[in-house]
Amino acid sequence: MVIITEDMIKQFQTLMEAINEPLKNSFKNVHQGYPTETLIRFLKAREGNVSKAHKMLVDCLNWRIQNEIDNILSKPIGPTDLYRAVRDSQLVGMSGYSKEGLPVIAVGVGLNTFDKASVHCYVQSHIQMNEYRDRVILPSATKKFGRHISTCIKVLDMTGLKLSALNHIKLLTVISTIDDLNYPEKTETYYIVNAPYIFSACWKVVRPLLQERTRKKVQVLPGCGRDDLLKIMDYASLPHFCKREDSGSSRHSRNGTTDNCFSLDHDFHQQLYNYIKVQAGAMETLIKEGSFHVDFPEPDPEGAKIAETIESEIQKLGDQNGLCKSMCECKINGD
């Protein structure tokens, strides 16, 4: 694991002093008052190579300017029915905080359908949650817990994962590439729960392809992960699908939608939705049906290789079970 030195940071700071004003203004939205810590994140993402980290950050800032990412929290996905459909088919939410103050982000990987809106809506929604996390949630956690908090924990629920997941690989590759290139080192640990055989089979093949830094962040927990997760967070912060042994569907819980952090009715999504409405009002943004288009970055070679490997493994599993169909025709290409 690379050690980031003071000399690396100083070299990086010197390079950043030479960037133009638009880039500097966008950088403020990225670092949120912690520029040094942000430089360290990009250095870690490029294994301490200053010139590569500098290029990565400048490319990120140019991407933000070209796609108006700094204003994305003032651009609602509308109308409300469309936004609710996005929430029902892109299962992501925040369930609470770890004992160390890290936001706990839950993702319903197995039951995501991504079939109620355009790819652009899902990408816009994902970026908005990233920006809300970085500009609102993390600064609030920093204030609440009295120390700088810049990362989160992700709990990935594999309940319901099927061979049809192949249909989502290209979209998920776009989303993960956006994160890798523009939001590096924002996740402390990925906890995998409710993992079926199909995940276990793919994981054995994919794990060796990951960089050591990423591999160390992934922990596959037995069952719903409740007992292990209670070591790092209180019961109230557990995602709903971790609160009982037979966790069942990610979509529902005993306590209804208020406990289901994927639901638009959950406090997290209500606060996010209202925040965007307020920002849109302040910017006098016209709410239109449809979505805000963001340029899709080219996947890095590592990410593309991993996606191809997952696709290949799922096909093999399908062939073994006589279930594989021509799912490889799924393309996004800006659709």
Side-chain angles (χ1 to χ4, degrees):
M1 184 174 176
V2 65
I3 297 175
I4 306 302
T5 65
E6 287 294 328
D7 186 52
M8 292 176 186
I9 296 170
K10 287 179 180 177
Q11 288 181 47
F12 202 170
Q13 287 172 332
T14 299
L15 290 172
M16 291 302 292
E17 288 170 3
I19 64 175
N20 62 37
E21 283 304 312
L23 294 183
K24 286 180 179 177
N25 290 333
S26 188
F27 186 44
K28 290 177 183 177
N29 272 329
V30 174
H31 69 62
Q32 291 293 309
Y34 293 90
T36 301
E37 289 79 0
T38 301
L39 298 184
I40 291 172
R41 285 198 295 109
F42 279 82
L43 283 167
K44 285 181 178 178
R46 288 297 177 261
E47 303 296 332
N49 185 308
V50 177
S51 62
K52 288 183 178 180
H54 175 251
K55 181 182 185 305
M56 182 185 187
L57 180 50
V58 169
D59 286 347
C60 164
L61 298 177
N62 279 316
W63 172 80
R64 295 181 69 87
I65 291 171
Q66 291 162 9
N67 292 281
E68 300 182 25
I69 302 301
D70 292 322
N71 295 325
I72 200 168
L73 289 176
S74 65
K75 298 179 183 295
I77 296 173
T80 304
D81 286 348
L82 174 62
Y83 186 66
R84 186 175 287 278
V86 170
R87 293 278 60 82
D88 286 343
S89 54
Q90 184 183 32
L91 305 180
V92 185
M94 179 179 158
S95 61
Y97 296 88
S98 73
K99 293 176 182 178
E100 294 185 344
L102 305 187
V104 179
I105 307 297
V107 186
V109 177
L111 291 173
N112 276 332
T113 58
F114 299 112
D115 60 350
K116 302 286 179 62
S118 71
V119 168
H120 288 285
C121 279
Y122 292 117
V123 171
Q124 178 184 357
S125 167
H126 179 77
I127 294 173
Q128 284 181 330
M129 281 188 277
N130 278 356
E131 292 293 312
Y132 186 72
R133 174 198 64 197
D134 293 352
R135 297 196 224 174
V136 179
I137 298 294
L138 290 173
S140 175
T142 294
K143 184 177 180 180
K144 178 179 178 179
F145 292 93
R147 68 180 187 86
H148 177 50
I149 295 175
S150 61
T151 58
C152 65
I153 288 170
K154 289 189 177 178
V155 184
L156 311 182
D157 180 26
M158 298 295 167
T159 297
L161 189 67
K162 295 181 177 67
L163 292 174
S164 56
L166 181 59
N167 290 318
H168 309 148
I169 284 178
K170 291 180 174 63
L171 170 58
L172 294 175
T173 299
V174 167
I175 287 174
S176 65
T177 301
I178 286 172
D179 284 354
D180 291 343
L181 296 179
N182 303 291
Y183 304 92
E185 301 296 316
K186 297 298 293 188
T187 302
E188 196 77 19
T189 310
Y190 297 88
Y191 293 101
I192 311 292
V193 302
N194 297 319
Y197 171 73
I198 185 175
F199 170 80
S200 302
C202 290
W203 178 241
K204 288 177 182 177
V205 179
V206 170
R207 189 176 185 278
L209 302 178
L210 300 174
Q211 292 182 3
E212 182 183 5
R213 186 182 72 255
T214 302
R215 197 162 55 240
K216 287 182 175 180
K217 291 182 177 183
V218 180
Q219 294 189 33
V220 182
L221 303 181
C224 68
R226 182 181 61 182
D227 294 341
D228 290 282
L229 292 173
L230 283 175
K231 296 173 184 176
I232 62 167
M233 68 184 74
D234 295 331
Y235 184 83
S237 289
L238 284 176
H240 59 280
F241 50 80
C242 296
K243 287 186 175 179
R244 57 187 186 276
E245 288 300 336
D246 58 335
S247 62
S249 171
S250 286
R251 292 181 183 278
H252 305 290
S253 71
R254 287 184 263 197
N255 297 325
T257 55
T258 55
D259 188 46
N260 182 341
C261 62
F262 299 149
S263 170
L264 179 57
D265 299 314
H266 187 270
D267 285 347
F268 167 74
H269 280 298
Q270 282 295 300
Q271 290 163 10
L272 169 59
Y273 185 70
N274 290 329
Y275 182 90
I276 292 175
K277 281 175 60 179
V278 170
Q279 295 299 310
M283 296 285 289
E284 297 184 348
T285 303
L286 180 63
I287 301 177
K288 298 178 180 178
E289 183 168 353
S291 64
F292 176 69
H293 287 201
V294 173
D295 291 337
F296 299 149
E298 287 295 321
D300 62 80
E302 181 192 21
K305 184 177 181 182
I306 290 169
E308 289 172 5
T309 301
I310 293 173
E311 192 169 340
S312 174
E313 286 303 303
I314 292 178
Q315 283 182 319
K316 288 178 186 176
L317 288 169
D319 290 338
Q320 290 169 9
N321 291 281
L323 298 172
C324 191
K325 297 179 181 179
S326 57
M327 295 183 289
C328 298
E329 297 174 2
C330 171
K331 299 185 187 302
I332 52 175
N333 295 332
D335 294 339

